[in-house]
């Protein structure tokens, strides 16, 4: 206690700006919890609850978030679940701030890096939704911050692998991140092994424990999935989602599909077609009209074959469509997309939403009532709810600002490299540029690469969705904050 009385005032003064932003973020989350009780619901929420109450791999979504719900099931409170998610959101801000300072970034950049994740109204609303994205964001940001700790050891590499495995089993978009982080560890090991007698051993010292820790849990879940459905994978919907993605451009007059695939064609021109998700959930979609459920092995395989043929037949159209979907991440405004219903789930509601209409959600509602130990009807309390609706109208990170954050690190690197070339003698220029380039990339490279991976995979394999962009924001902020380290001194 004596230490706290002596040191705490000085510590609080040094970090006063971060504490102010953190405190405001905590207050906004408290207002949200008071205004919307017990939690906000999304169509996916009911499936997560069913898997939590009846553990079994789902064909569409991995069970990581459902296991998170099951850990809290004994408390019978969805209000507690979203409270934990709000705490995870606050901890993401703490991780960003601490990491920027530990990596030598300026304090003002560390504070600014936390502002979007702590204060953005859509981040707060997403944390209040019963969906996997808040947990996924916490795990991915935790993995990036852990990868930036120095020195990296076999133990920290194994811990990093476990965190990424948990992220992958929360959302399958985490799977390619294992490859991204493996390359980062490989590069770190190669740099550390320069001059070592046995460089291969030095590289394997980090990559082997990382890959074992990352892949064993994923393989175990894949084994559970195979034992349940006799299918290889983590989910059974990859072909269906890719099919829906290609229906934005697929032209069967160009593809010339065989008869078994032709049943999936849509005669309407691409400009007249609905959003991609309608080809999965709309009862009139060609795929949904086939016998059996949409995600059977046969249907998923058929959809995957169609998608593969569409991409091979129209590669430029696929690339154009992917870039168009990616571009939606960077709009200045926030246009309604993919439809008004989905868009509305990301807004703080003024009235209680109608009960679920899809059959899985109706079944899920029964399980949700068992989880809660009572009714789950949303209760909207004023003036707290009105305050958050008004706040959401004003405070958000525009997509254009996200693009600026993602462009800032390579721009800062170019400025730094140009300054080094003009200030140093020719004889030392090449060696100096290589050294400063390596240091710069080691600061922000992993956060930047992870952000782009998370941005690119959904538009390429499924469809753009606003909630898929929000986990990218803290990573982009982290990369931008670290990229300005020492920039003013060098320029």
């Amino acid at each position: 206690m004596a230490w706290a009385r002596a040191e705490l005032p000085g510590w609080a003064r040094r970090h006063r700006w971060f504490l102010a932003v953190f405190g405001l973020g905590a207050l906004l989350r408290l207002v949200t919890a008071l205004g919307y009780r017990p939690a906000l619901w999304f169509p996916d929420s009911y499936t997560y609850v069913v898997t939590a109450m009846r553990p079994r791999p789902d064909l569409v979504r991995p069970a990581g978030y459902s296991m998170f719900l099951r850990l809290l099931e004994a408390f019978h409170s969805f209000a507690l679940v979203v409270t934990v998610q709000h705490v995870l959101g606050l901890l993401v801000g703490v991780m960003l701030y601490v990491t920027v300072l530990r990596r030598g970034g300026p304090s003002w950049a560390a504070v600014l890096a936390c502002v979007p994740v702590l204060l953005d109204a859509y981040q707060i609303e997403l944390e209040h939704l019963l969906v996997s994205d808040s947990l996924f964001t916490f795990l991915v940001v935790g993995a990036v911050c852990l990868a930036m700790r120095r020195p990296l050891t076999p133990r920290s590499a194994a811990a990093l692998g476990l965190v990424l495995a948990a992220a992958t089993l929360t959302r399958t978009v985490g799977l390619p991140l294992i490859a991204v982080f493996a390359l980062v560890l490989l590069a770190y090991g190669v740099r550390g092994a320069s001059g070592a007698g046995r460089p291969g051993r030095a590289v394997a010292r980090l990559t082997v424990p990382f890959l074992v820790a990352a892949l064993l849990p994923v393989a175990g879940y894949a084994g559970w999935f195979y034992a349940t459905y006799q299918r290889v994978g983590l989910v059974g919907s990859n072909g269906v989602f890719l099919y829906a993605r290609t229906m934005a451009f697929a032209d069967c007059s160009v593809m010339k599909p065989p008869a078994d695939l032709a049943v999936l064609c849509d005669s309407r021109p691409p400009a007249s077609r609905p959003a991609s998700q309608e080809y999965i959930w709309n009862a009139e979609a060609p795929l949904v009209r086939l016998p059996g459920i949409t995600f059977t092995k046969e249907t998923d395989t058929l959809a995957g074959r169609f998608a593969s043929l569409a991409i091979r037949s129209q590669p430029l159209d696929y690339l154009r469509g992917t870039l168009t979907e990616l571009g939606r991440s960077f709009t200045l405004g926030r246009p309604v997309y993919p439809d008004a219903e989905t868009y509305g789930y990301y807004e703080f509601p003024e009235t209680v939403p109608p009960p679920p209409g899809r059959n899985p959600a109706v079944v899920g509602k029964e399980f949700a009532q068992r989880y809660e130990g009572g009714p789950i009807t949303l209760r909207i309390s004023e003036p707290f709810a009105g305050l958050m609706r008004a706040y959401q109208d004003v405070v958000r990170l525009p997509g254009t600002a996200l693009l600026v954050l993602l462009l800032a690190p390579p721009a800062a690197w170019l400025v730094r490299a140009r300054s080094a070339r003009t200030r140093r003698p020719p004889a030392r220029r090449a060696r100096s540029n290589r050294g400063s380039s390596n240091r710069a990339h080691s600061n922000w490279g992993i956060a930047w690469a992870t952000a782009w991976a998370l941005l690119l995979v959904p538009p390429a394999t499924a469809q753009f969705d606003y909630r898929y962009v929000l986990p990218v924001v803290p990573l982009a902020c982290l990369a931008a904050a670290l990229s300005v380290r020492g920039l003013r001194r060098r320029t």
Side-chain angles (χ1 to χ4, degrees):
M1 293 296 294
W3 175 87
R5 285 194 299 269
E7 300 292 334
L8 194 57
W11 178 88
R13 281 194 300 272
R14 289 194 301 274
H15 303 288
R16 61 187 180 278
W17 290 109
F18 169 74
L19 292 175
V21 172
F22 183 89
L24 181 56
L27 179 61
L28 289 168
R29 285 159 174 82
L30 176 60
V31 173
T32 300
L34 293 174
Y36 296 95
R37 293 175 286 181
L40 296 175
W41 291 81
F42 191 77
D44 296 357
S45 305
Y46 301 97
T47 304
Y48 288 126
V49 174
V50 170
T51 305
M53 299 294 287
R54 189 176 58 191
R56 171 187 172 96
D58 186 66
L59 286 169
V60 181
R61 303 164 192 89
Y65 181 69
S66 295
M67 296 303 101
F68 168 77
L69 293 178
R70 190 168 180 84
L71 286 175
L72 301 173
E73 190 263 338
F75 298 96
H76 298 292
S77 173
F78 286 116
L80 176 64
V81 173
V82 295
T83 298
V84 173
Q85 291 181 176
H86 284 311
V87 171
L88 295 181
L90 292 171
L91 289 177
V92 168
V94 173
M95 288 190 290
L96 295 180
Y97 182 73
V98 171
T99 300
V100 173
L101 293 183
R102 282 184 172 175
R103 296 296 291 168
S107 58
W108 61 266
V111 173
L112 290 179
C114 306
V115 169
V117 71
L118 291 178
L119 303 185
D120 187 302
Y122 286 94
Q123 291 278 1
I124 298 170
E125 199 272 350
L126 187 67
E127 294 167 15
H128 211 65
L129 277 171
L130 291 167
V131 289
S132 61
D133 300 82
S134 297
L135 176 61
F136 178 78
T137 301
F138 174 78
L139 292 170
V140 171
V141 173
V144 169
C145 294
L146 182 58
M148 289 184 176
R149 290 179 66 91
R150 296 295 183 268
L152 283 172
T153 64
R155 181 176 295 180
S156 62
L160 178 59
L162 289 174
V163 174
L164 281 179
T168 300
L169 298 180
T170 301
R171 278 186 55 198
T172 52
V173 72
L175 189 58
L177 298 184
I178 294 177
V180 172
F181 278 72
L183 291 175
V184 169
L185 289 178
L186 184 64
Y188 180 84
V190 169
R191 286 202 304 270
S194 57
R198 304 176 69 175
R201 188 172 184 176
V203 170
R205 181 171 171 268
L206 295 178
T207 54
V208 169
F210 167 76
L211 289 174
V212 169
L215 296 180
L216 273 182
V218 174
Y221 185 87
W224 185 29
F225 188 84
Y226 182 84
T228 305
Y229 299 108
Q230 289 72 55
R231 297 170 65 177
V232 177
L234 301 179
V235 293
S237 56
N238 292 328
V240 170
F241 277 89
L242 189 58
Y243 160 77
R245 174 69 195 86
T246 60
M247 289 309 293
F249 65 86
D251 185 345
C252 286
S253 66
V254 176
M255 295 165 53
K256 297 179 172 52
D260 62 333
L261 295 183
V263 298
L264 300 181
C265 292
D266 189 336
S267 59
R268 292 173 292 183
S272 302
R273 295 175 187 174
S276 294
Q277 67 176 16
E278 293 298 310
Y279 288 92
I280 304 174
W281 309 114
N282 192 307
E284 298 303 316
L287 189 72
V288 183
R289 290 200 305 264
L290 295 178
I293 65 172
T294 306
F295 303 106
T296 62
K297 181 178 181 180
E298 294 74 21
T299 303
D300 189 62
T301 301
L302 190 72
R305 286 175 53 212
F306 184 98
S308 177
L309 178 61
I311 294 170
R312 295 197 313 270
S313 303
Q314 300 172 256
L316 294 181
D317 290 330
Y318 172 67
L319 178 61
R320 187 181 303 113
T322 300
L323 293 177
T324 299
E325 290 290 288
L326 176 64
R328 299 183 191 278
S329 305
F330 307 125
T331 57
L332 182 61
R334 192 179 171 93
V336 175
Y337 189 83
D339 55 49
E341 180 186 2
T342 303
Y343 183 89
Y345 286 116
Y346 307 138
E347 303 278 333
F348 285 112
E350 188 172 357
T351 58
V352 177
R358 296 176 187 165
N359 183 64
V362 173
V363 175
K365 183 179 179 181
E366 299 174 4
F367 281 92
Q369 289 171 341
R370 285 172 47 191
Y371 186 103
E372 179 75 4
I376 60 170
T377 304
L378 176 66
R379 301 186 298 279
I380 299 178
S381 301
E382 303 293 351
F384 305 108
L387 287 173
M388 291 312 300
R389 290 194 301 272
Y391 182 80
Q392 193 173 34
D393 289 338
V394 178
V395 183
R396 66 176 182 87
L397 182 74
T400 308
L402 175 61
L403 180 61
V404 171
L405 290 171
L406 289 168
L407 294 178
W413 176 79
L414 288 173
V415 169
R416 187 179 287 110
R418 183 175 180 181
S419 175
R421 283 198 302 270
T422 57
R423 288 172 178 266
R424 296 183 185 275
R428 297 175 54 193
R429 196 170 292 163
R431 291 195 304 271
S432 174
N433 285 350
R434 284 195 296 269
S436 63
S437 172
N438 285 339
R439 287 192 297 272
H441 281 90
S442 67
N443 276 337
W444 54 262
I446 182 61
W448 190 79
T450 303
W452 276 108
L454 293 178
L455 268 182
L456 287 168
V457 172
T461 60
Q463 176 182 277
F464 166 82
D465 194 298
Y466 284 109
R467 71 185 174 104
Y468 296 157
V469 178
L470 291 177
V472 175
V473 172
L475 300 172
C477 292
L478 178 59
L482 290 174
S483 70
V484 301
R485 173 188 173 190
L487 188 60
R488 177 177 295 181
R489 290 195 301 271
R490 286 189 172 88
T491 56

